[in-house]
Every structure is written in structure tokens, then in C-alpha cells.
Amino acid sequence: MSFKLPKLFLYVLGAILVLNLLQAFFTPLIFDEAYYWHYAKELAWGYFDHPPMVALMIKIGNVFFNGELGVRFVSCLLSIGTFILLWLAIDNPAKKKYIPHFFALVFSMTLLNAYGFFTLPDTPLLFFTALFLLVYKRFIAKPSFILAIFMGIVMAALMYSKYHAVLVIFFVLLSNIKLILNKYAWLAVITSLICYTPHFIWLYEHDFVSIKYHLFERPNAPYNFNKYTLGFLVNLVAIFGLTFPFVYYALFKSKSKDLFTKALLYLTYGVLIFFFISSFNRRVQTQWIIVVSIPMAILVYNYMLENGKIRKWIYRLGIINIVIILFLRVGLIYEPLFPVNYETHGNKAWMKKIQSEAGDNPVVFENSYRNAPMYAFYTGKTSFSLNNIHYRQNQYSIDDSEKAVQHKKILYISKYLKKNKLAFPKKSGSIYYGVFIDDFESFRKLRCIVNDEKFELNDTEHSVTVYNPYKEDIGLSKLKFAIAYLNGSKQFQELIPIDLVPENDKITQLSANDSTLFTFKLPKPKTTNLPKYFKMVISENDLQYGLNSNTIELD
């Protein structure tokens, strides 16, 4: 396997790198990037929604650059690395004659192009998938101790990028089941687990909050064919654009001629089938299937080298794809060129407008892990997302950012406040309203731990432990308790206040870093027909009720 890259390849690669760096510099952040920038303010072995690789990338980038380029610098480098790894994974010597065709294929893949400058967990996922496949190719040709160690490290890096990486590792293993008898393969697995141990420890210390959310707590709408299954099929087209019929034709015609090709096919079909089945249960987001771009780029380009007609069509349509993508990329910066209002548009000015009213006072956004970090990024001021029963938990629910707004005068921003003079219309058309709170106090980390296992809508008395993780006592007079009923899709339906009876009737406060035992009865719902789940929720100082317990199933 030659690692020498042709001059034309390097020239095109260099041009793409310069283009991506310029795009990264001039394009305002999207909301997810701002959220991951919030991650990076305090490096950890894990975060609420994702493993820590994306935060580490931003932290490294900020060493070299400020602003948007600092957030995206490492992504620009990794995307170039992905193209190099894909090229090295292709053995056909004819590839040197068709370098423009290679770039017409890979650079025309919509999300592979976008992740060339956006910083999202999928960016390192794509890079480490390409690296994993290249290392695996060498491993099956000649396994060794050093190669096994390196493959284990790469597998861990995959898992540190995004939890979906488990599908990459699983389907490659499934394609070569004899690996379970290979001592070097076991060495790779053990190395990977050792490298991943810090994240396992982080999950344990945080009560497996990420796993619980993704697998059990995440709300979901009832099945809808158009939004779910048809949406999944549309995504299959969207990730390849105009080249999609020829790309999938090349995939269909590709045959398993060796273990490496077999791994590529298993990985591609495995991911597609997995998410097709998932589409009957939930909406499959486009980026969830983006990892198939890596094995498909190798399979399709190899097929292009052997089939002139397909090569011509993919090349022509790929060029059209690229022209359209580049036009839209300009539109990310220059708004009039983009066909719709996109999330890179108007946020900077909107945050400055809010800051002009807030001054140096912190801003608390109701239910928005998107707006809170965007405000902090573009103003340099303190912000916080106060999450309630109408929303979901996120990184602001578990980190220490709540401390920075306690007992401060804050500007509270919400879509749902009564209309007043502090109105902040967004470019998208939605209007947020603001109100100042002189002495803000929240206790969103209070946890209700329900002790019983069986719950029915009757007069049975149940016990609940309320845990106060704060360093100060909290008076019960500041708190209100309620039951939030959810439907079968875990969507909030109805809120009914309840009284908690303390085990000791002399208790008037929740002691610091301590648990207090109460009893309660489930009230009958007034408007919800046969709720499937419930949560115990708490309102502090008349704020909206929070998210204070796990989702509990009703019998």
C-alpha cells in the first residue's frame, strides 16, 4: 500500500482545505456547534448527549484560533484526512488516472461536504471510520501485535466520537466472524475497552444519564409513515444528491470478492437495514446514516474505475452537485442567496439585541440549550438554559452552569411569557419575550427517586426519596410538587399538583447533600385518557415545573 499521494490529488486537497477554512471563518455558528462549544468550556470524559471527542476538537482548535474558526479548525483538518484515508483504501492502480472523478464523488456527497467545516460529532465519526477501515484492511492482510494495539485505539476513538460507532465495529466484526478466534483481534478489543474505560467511569458516576436518555427517556411521536419511513428513504437520496441512482446501482452491483469488500458491504447494508427498521419506531435523522458514506465511497469509486458509463454519469452529476452545494455554502454567509432562512442567519445580531437589554446581567433562556450557548459565544456573557417539563434534559441539567446565575439579577427569555415591552423577534419569525428577575434562584438538580416498582391509578400510597445535591438546605416552602402524565410516546400531556407527606412531620426543609423520605398518592388525570407514564416534578419559587425524576411506567 503506497502512501505517496499524486500531485494533482494534493493540489485539489489543498484547494478544498483553503475553501473549508475560509468557510469556517466566515460562516456563523449553527446551534449544535454552539452547544458543543459549551461542552468544550469544561473538558470531561463525557457529556449529556455525546461522548467527548467533539469537545476535545473544539478545545484544540481554540488553542490556535478564536471565534468560529477556533470551533471548526480541527474539523477542517479531519475532513481532509478522511479524503486521504479513503484514497489510500483503494488499491486499483487506475485510480491515479481518475483523480477528478474521485473528488467529484466524495466532495459531492452533501453531508460529507458539510462536515468538512461544521464541527459536529459526525465529523470525527467519519474520519475514524475511514481510519478504522484502512487499519482493518491491513490487519486482515497481516495481523500483528502493533497493528492490533493501534486498531484498538482507533476503535476507542470511534466510540469517543459518537455512540453510533458501535454499529461500525459490530458490522465489520459480523462480516468476519472468525475474528473471535484471532488472538490479535481480542487484543484490539481489550485495548479499546481499556482506552474507553474513562468514559465508562463517567457514565457510572453520572447514573448512565446519556444511555438512559437515548434509550429510555427520549420523547417520541406516534408512528407516521411520511415522517418516519418515507423520511428515511428521502434521507437515502439526500446524502448523495443527484448521483444517488448511480451510487446505489454501483453498491448493488458490488460483490464480496475479499474480506475487506465484504466488510464494506456488511457495514453499508447493516447500517441501512438497522435504521430502516428503526424508522418504524422513530424519525431517523439524516446524519444518523451518514457513516455509510465512507464504505460506499470506496465501493462506488472502485466500481467507477471498472465501468466507464457509470464513471461518466457520476462525474457529471457530481459536478452539478458540487456547484449547487457551493452555491448554498455561499448562502450560509450571504443570506440572500440561501433559499430559506437557515440557522446561521441572524443569530449574531439577535444575541447582540438581547445583550443590549441585559447589559452585564446573566440571561436565562427557558428550554433552549440552543440559544443559551449561542448567546454566550457571541456576547461573552453568562447564560443558562432552564429546562422544564415541556422540554428535555441536556448538558445544562448536569453541569455546574446553574451556579453562575444563582441569586443574580437576570433577564429571563421565553417564547411563552406574556407579551411585554421586552420583545425579541427572530429572523425566523418567532418572538421571544423577556422579563428581569432581581434574585433568581433555581434548584433544577433536585431528584425524586420513586421507591416502588408497580403503579396504578388508585389510592395506593407510595414512597419517594427527594435528594438534595446542593450545599445548602432548601426550605419546603419554596417548592411545589406535581405529577406529570405522559402518553405512550413519552410526550407530556397533563400536570396535576400533589402534596408530599414527609416521613417526619417536623421536616421543613431538604437538608444539604441529603435525602428526605416522603409519601404520595397518584392523582387521577383530569384530561388525559389512560396515561402510560408519569414523572414527579418540582417547581421552585413558582418557576415552571422541572424534570426531576425518571420516566415511570404505569400498569
Side-chain angles (χ1 to χ4, degrees):
M1 184 185 296
S2 174
F3 289 93
K4 186 176 180 181
L5 301 174
K7 286 185 178 180
L8 178 58
F9 185 93
L10 291 173
Y11 292 151
V12 176
L13 204 65
I16 292 174
L17 176 59
V18 171
L19 174 66
N20 286 342
L21 289 171
L22 290 172
Q23 185 88 50
F25 180 80
F26 287 107
T27 305
L29 293 190
I30 62 175
F31 288 112
D32 280 353
E33 289 181 300
Y35 184 44
Y36 303 139
W37 170 81
H38 175 71
Y39 281 10
K41 289 166 70 176
E42 186 174 340
L43 283 184
W45 285 106
Y47 298 91
F48 183 89
D49 313 77
H50 293 290
M53 186 64 75
V54 68
L56 178 62
M57 291 166 55
I58 294 172
K59 197 73 170 180
I60 294 172
N62 284 334
V63 172
F64 299 98
F65 301 101
N66 297 318
E68 291 89 348
L69 184 57
V71 172
R72 296 167 172 155
F73 178 64
V74 174
S75 289
C76 294
L77 299 181
L78 289 188
S79 68
I80 295 302
T82 300
F83 291 157
I84 294 173
L85 293 168
L86 289 173
W87 179 260
L88 295 175
I90 298 163
D91 289 335
N92 194 323
K95 69 181 183 180
K96 293 181 180 179
K97 294 166 49 180
Y98 298 104
I99 293 173
H101 297 75
F102 172 81
F103 284 105
L105 171 67
V106 297
F107 199 61
S108 71
M109 294 181 181
T110 53
L111 292 185
L112 203 60
N113 189 305
Y115 294 153
F117 59 94
F118 282 140
T119 292
L120 301 164
D122 306 273
T123 307
L125 176 68
L126 292 169
F127 173 81
F128 287 113
T129 297
L131 181 57
F132 172 63
L133 290 174
L134 182 62
V135 173
Y136 174 73
K137 184 176 185 178
R138 296 195 64 184
F139 180 85
I140 55 179
K142 190 177 180 181
S144 67
F145 179 85
I146 297 298
L147 210 52
I149 295 292
F150 184 52
M151 188 162 72
I153 294 172
V154 174
M155 288 162 63
L158 259 174
M159 290 299 299
Y160 273 120
S161 299
K162 197 171 183 179
Y163 293 124
H164 288 161
V166 70
L167 297 176
V168 176
I169 298 168
F170 173 76
F171 286 119
V172 170
L173 172 62
L174 192 63
S175 73
N176 186 7
I177 204 68
K178 290 182 179 180
L179 285 175
I180 62 174
L181 302 176
N182 187 311
K183 64 180 181 181
Y184 293 113
W186 279 106
L187 177 60
V189 170
I190 293 170
T191 302
S192 178
L193 291 174
I194 292 172
C195 291
Y196 206 59
T197 296
H199 185 63
F200 285 135
I201 294 172
W202 182 91
L203 286 171
Y204 176 77
E205 291 175 344
H206 290 80
D207 196 28
F208 298 96
V209 63
S210 304
I211 306 301
K212 285 182 178 179
Y213 172 73
H214 288 299
L215 295 183
F216 307 114
E217 296 289 325
R218 197 168 192 157
N220 195 24
Y223 177 73
N224 180 299
F225 175 79
N226 289 339
K227 290 183 179 179
Y228 286 18
T229 306
L230 182 60
F232 166 76
L233 298 175
V234 171
N235 287 341
L236 295 185
V237 175
I239 61 175
F240 297 112
L242 297 175
T243 63
F244 83 91
F246 300 99
V247 165
Y248 285 111
Y249 177 80
L251 171 65
F252 179 74
K253 298 294 287 185
S254 297
K255 303 302 177 184
S256 179
K257 57 186 178 181
D258 53 51
L259 281 175
F260 183 64
T261 306
K262 186 179 179 183
L264 299 177
L265 291 169
Y266 266 62
L267 175 53
T268 302
Y269 284 114
V271 169
L272 294 180
I273 292 170
F274 176 86
F275 283 114
F276 174 68
I277 295 172
S278 297
S279 75
F280 291 95
N281 178 56
R282 64 180 63 248
R283 185 174 71 87
V284 176
Q285 298 178 24
T286 312
Q287 66 268 25
W288 291 1
I289 57 175
I290 185 60
V291 74
V292 301
S293 297
I294 300 301
M296 285 185 71
I298 301 170
L299 290 167
V300 173
Y301 187 62
N302 272 322
Y303 190 81
M304 288 170 62
L305 294 176
E306 304 294 337
N307 296 269
K309 185 178 290 187
I310 294 295
R311 182 169 64 243
K312 289 179 182 178
W313 274 109
I314 290 180
Y315 181 69
R316 293 167 181 169
L317 293 173
I319 294 298
I320 298 174
N321 261 0
I322 291 171
V323 171
I324 295 172
I325 290 171
L326 292 179
F327 176 81
L328 293 175
R329 283 177 59 160
V330 174
L332 294 176
I333 305 168
Y334 183 63
E335 299 173 24
L337 289 183
F338 210 80
V340 296
N341 183 70
Y342 189 60
E343 58 184 279
T344 59
H345 301 152
N347 285 315
K348 194 171 184 177
W350 191 64
M351 297 305 171
K352 294 290 186 182
K353 165 74 172 168
I354 294 175
Q355 200 261 324
S356 69
E357 294 286 351
D360 291 330
N361 296 304
V363 176
V364 175
F365 290 88
E366 180 181 86
N367 290 346
S368 188
Y369 71 88
R370 293 157 63 89
N371 287 328
M374 190 73 79
Y375 180 84
F377 182 83
Y378 280 117
T379 67
K381 304 298 182 181
T382 301
S383 65
F384 177 64
S385 174
L386 188 77
N387 311 308
N388 63 45
I389 189 60
H390 298 281
Y391 199 49
R392 73 166 181 90
Q393 287 187 302
N394 49 62
Q395 183 61 24
Y396 287 95
S397 305
I398 65 171
D399 65 19
D400 292 329
S401 54
E402 186 184 40
K403 288 181 181 178
V405 297
Q406 295 301 296
H407 300 290
K408 303 279 182 66
K409 180 180 180 179
I410 62 101
L411 177 62
Y412 190 84
I413 302 287
S414 172
K415 281 185 180 180
Y416 308 105
L417 290 173
K418 292 181 180 179
K419 294 182 180 180
N420 57 53
K421 65 179 183 179
L422 288 181
F424 303 99
K426 294 194 74 172
K427 193 173 182 67
S428 61
S430 57
I431 301 176
Y432 288 71
Y433 297 94
V435 62
F436 282 99
I437 299 176
D438 288 330
D439 183 13
F440 181 80
E441 184 181 45
S442 63
F443 304 114
R444 289 290 127 136
K445 291 186 179 182
L446 289 175
R447 297 299 295 167
C448 297
I449 305 163
V450 178
N451 302 320
D452 295 348
E453 295 182 357
K454 188 174 183 180
F455 293 90
E456 297 178 355
L457 293 174
N458 53 36
D459 290 330
T460 302
E461 194 171 78
H462 302 280
S463 62
V464 58
T465 300
V466 179
Y467 174 62
N468 173 16
Y470 296 95
K471 294 180 180 180
E472 67 267 14
D473 299 338
I474 301 173
L476 290 177
S477 60
K478 296 181 178 181
L479 307 178
K480 296 177 182 178
F481 297 87
I483 294 294
Y485 285 116
L486 317 176
N487 62 17
S489 300
K490 299 181 181 177
Q491 297 171 315
F492 170 66
Q493 298 293 297
E494 182 180 1
L495 189 76
I496 302 180
I498 62 170
D499 292 321
L500 291 192
V501 180
E503 183 182 38
N504 182 344
D505 58 10
K506 295 182 179 179
I507 292 176
T508 59
Q509 62 186 19
L510 302 177
S511 299
N513 294 306
D514 201 1
S515 298
T516 307
L517 186 65
F518 296 84
T519 59
F520 72 100
K521 292 181 180 180
L522 280 177
K524 291 185 178 180
K526 298 177 181 178
T527 60
T528 308
N529 184 29
L530 297 176
K532 183 66 175 175
Y533 302 94
F534 76 92
K535 285 179 177 287
M536 293 203 69
V537 296
I538 301 173
S539 166
E540 65 273 50
N541 301 308
D542 291 323
L543 294 169
Q544 287 268 14
Y545 284 89
L547 294 154
N548 305 99
S549 79
N550 293 334
T551 301
I552 303 159
E553 187 172 5
L554 285 163
D555 289 330

